[in-house]
Amino acid sequence: MLLVHLLAAAKGDGTLDLVTATGRHHSIGSGPPKLTLRLHDRAVERDLLLNPRLNFGEAYMDGRLSVDGGTIYDLLAMLMSGTEVQGALGRAAHSLSPLLRRLQQYNPMRRSRQNVEHHYNLSRQFYQLFLDRDMQYSCAYFPDPSMSLEDAQEAKKRHIAAKLLLVPGMRVLDIGCGWGGMALYLARRTGARVTGITLSSEQLAVARQRAQEAGLADRVNFELHDYREFAANHRGVFDRIVSVGMFEHVGVPHYRNYFDAVHDMLNDDGVALIHAIGRLDGPGATNPWIRKYIFPGGYSPALSEVLAVVERSALFTTDVEVLRLHYAETLRHWRNRFDAHREEAKKLFDERFCRMWEFYLAGAELAFRLQGHMVFQIQLARTLGAVPLTRDYMVNAEHELGSASTGSAGLRPARTPESAA
């Protein structure tokens, strides 16, 4: 049976019992079975051979395959820890993906808005089931692995703010502001005046409501804009730009437009901080199931793809940090919280949606644990003297932000040699 050979090659440690739609058992590995994979119709076997990267997730969503003795996370962990093997057509599609990705990642403004609405215009009530209280839908930061999700997301905001060298009154742009948590944090803790832009009407409404409730509407403004159209009317306006979890939606063909926009919107002493998912194993292509069901138009780049464009944008790269397993831990928290609230999610949507979300959270976590995904933070500036010569200021600012009370007037950065002169 060809599927048995495919699974045997893909499987890492552990023993898998494959049960076909006709009831035949195939033991894959040695020792007692740890997991059982059941196929519920004969066409599943064919589908998995033709395009496993797409059809495995679809079959799980549709209930055409199921797992006994564990969860979909356990099964994916077994399969993703081995050597990735694809069927003949799957290999052909994968080999063509670098050629096709310019089309897959072609995100003009209208398409970008559709892509964002596909994922982020799900209800606020749904995301509240598994996110932290501040609704941070991006990688948390775990200085201590035992931290709660709430504390780790607060640490993420603090870590980013420390790299922005903020002082009261600075004008900050948040590109892809989500539900507004980062913008509100910066305004509250540093005294900055923040503009957040998003393409999600659902997120925009929530962010504006939160700003009103926090009494920060006079210092934080949220707008529905694409970064390209916004840049055309805001040249040199901002002291700082921050973008968290948005760059994955830009698409490689638009990187030059993106960094040119960042450059043009910063003033001469401006600093930007880009926080995004990347890959450690070089350029690749988005998993077809993720592209179809979760993030259409999305792509997590290698740093080599990003920095090559930055070098041509008249921006200077002043700091790069790689966060390796922090997103794996973030996704573990999200996965456990979603599982605890699964019945509530089912009332909002349906069983197929819940199985889709289970597959997404499990596969995403394992991509960070086992397959070279990571998060990078790139600090950029228009001039070499815009930030201090050493990273001590980041540590000092992070410590001060951690000990500062809510409503702090803000932190003053260390003076650079240029500013001291």
Side-chain angles (χ1 to χ4, degrees), residues 264-338:
D264 292 347
M265 287 188 287
L266 285 174
N267 60 27
D268 289 342
D269 295 322
V271 176
L273 193 286
I274 312 300
H275 168 117
I277 298 171
R279 56 185 72 221
L280 291 165
D281 54 356
T286 303
N287 175 281
W289 185 87
I290 290 288
R291 188 172 64 244
K292 180 176 180 179
Y293 290 100
I294 307 299
F295 294 118
Y299 174 64
S300 301
L303 276 172
S304 58
E305 298 175 280
V306 180
L307 294 178
V309 182
V310 171
E311 292 167 358
R312 300 192 298 271
S313 68
L315 288 166
F316 292 104
T317 300
T318 49
D319 191 83
V320 178
E321 182 176 8
V322 172
L323 306 179
R324 289 163 288 114
L325 292 170
H326 293 262
Y327 216 157
E329 289 303 301
T330 305
L331 284 154
R332 177 177 63 84
H333 281 277
W334 291 348
R335 182 170 56 85
N336 290 337
R337 288 178 175 215
F338 178 81

Side-chain angles (χ1 to χ4, degrees), residues 150-410:
E150 272 71 22
D151 287 345
Q153 290 291 13
E154 187 76 3
K156 182 267 299 292
K157 290 176 285 187
R158 189 164 59 239
H159 194 60
I160 290 173
K163 296 183 178 186
L164 289 170
L165 301 102
L166 291 162
V167 299
M170 274 191 168
R171 297 158 298 177
V172 181
L173 174 65
D174 184 353
I175 303 177
C177 60
W179 291 279
M182 177 61 72
L184 295 172
Y185 176 89
L186 296 179
R188 182 184 300 116
R189 286 300 182 96
T190 73
R193 305 185 69 85
V194 188
T195 298
I197 59 173
T198 178
L199 290 177
S200 167
S201 56
E202 174 76 14
Q203 289 186 328
L204 177 69
V206 172
R208 285 177 170 174
Q209 178 185 345
R210 293 182 67 192
Q212 289 287 345
E213 292 172 350
L216 291 170
D218 60 329
R219 281 190 282 150
V220 185
N221 177 47
F222 296 105
E223 300 180 21
L224 193 70
H225 282 294
D226 185 283
Y227 68 92
R228 289 161 286 199
E229 62 176 345
F230 193 78
N233 299 312
H234 292 82
R235 296 179 67 89
V237 168
F238 296 101
D239 303 290
R240 301 291 185 262
I241 292 177
V242 64
S243 184
V244 181
M246 176 272 177
F247 188 70
E248 302 90 329
H249 302 284
V250 172
V252 173
H254 305 280
Y255 284 179
R256 182 61 187 268
N257 300 118
Y258 177 86
F259 288 113
D260 283 348
V262 169
H263 172 273
D264 292 347
M265 287 188 287
L266 285 174
N267 60 27
D268 289 342
D269 295 322
V271 176
L273 193 286
I274 312 300
H275 168 117
I277 298 171
R279 56 185 72 221
L280 291 165
D281 54 356
T286 303
N287 175 281
W289 185 87
I290 290 288
R291 188 172 64 244
K292 180 176 180 179
Y293 290 100
I294 307 299
F295 294 118
Y299 174 64
S300 301
L303 276 172
S304 58
E305 298 175 280
V306 180
L307 294 178
V309 182
V310 171
E311 292 167 358
R312 300 192 298 271
S313 68
L315 288 166
F316 292 104
T317 300
T318 49
D319 191 83
V320 178
E321 182 176 8
V322 172
L323 306 179
R324 289 163 288 114
L325 292 170
H326 293 262
Y327 216 157
E329 289 303 301
T330 305
L331 284 154
R332 177 177 63 84
H333 281 277
W334 291 348
R335 182 170 56 85
N336 290 337
R337 288 178 175 215
F338 178 81
D339 184 60
H341 295 281
R342 191 183 192 284
E343 288 305 310
E344 295 168 69
K346 188 175 177 180
K347 292 176 183 177
L348 291 172
F349 297 100
D350 57 22
E351 175 66 20
R352 187 174 189 266
F353 178 92
C354 289
R355 292 170 74 90
M356 177 186 75
W357 213 258
E358 287 171 343
F359 193 85
Y360 156 52
L361 293 176
E365 179 184 338
L366 290 164
F368 285 92
R369 291 199 185 279
L370 303 173
Q371 296 194 330
H373 275 54
M374 54 79 171
V375 168
F376 60 80
Q377 291 183 351
I378 302 178
Q379 185 193 62
L380 304 166
R382 286 186 56 149
T383 62
L384 282 175
V387 299
L389 297 180
T390 70
R391 303 179 91 244
D392 295 355
Y393 72 93
M394 298 182 190
V395 177
N396 295 337
E398 198 163 351
H399 175 74
E400 290 184 49
L401 282 164
S403 59
S405 61
T406 301
S408 166

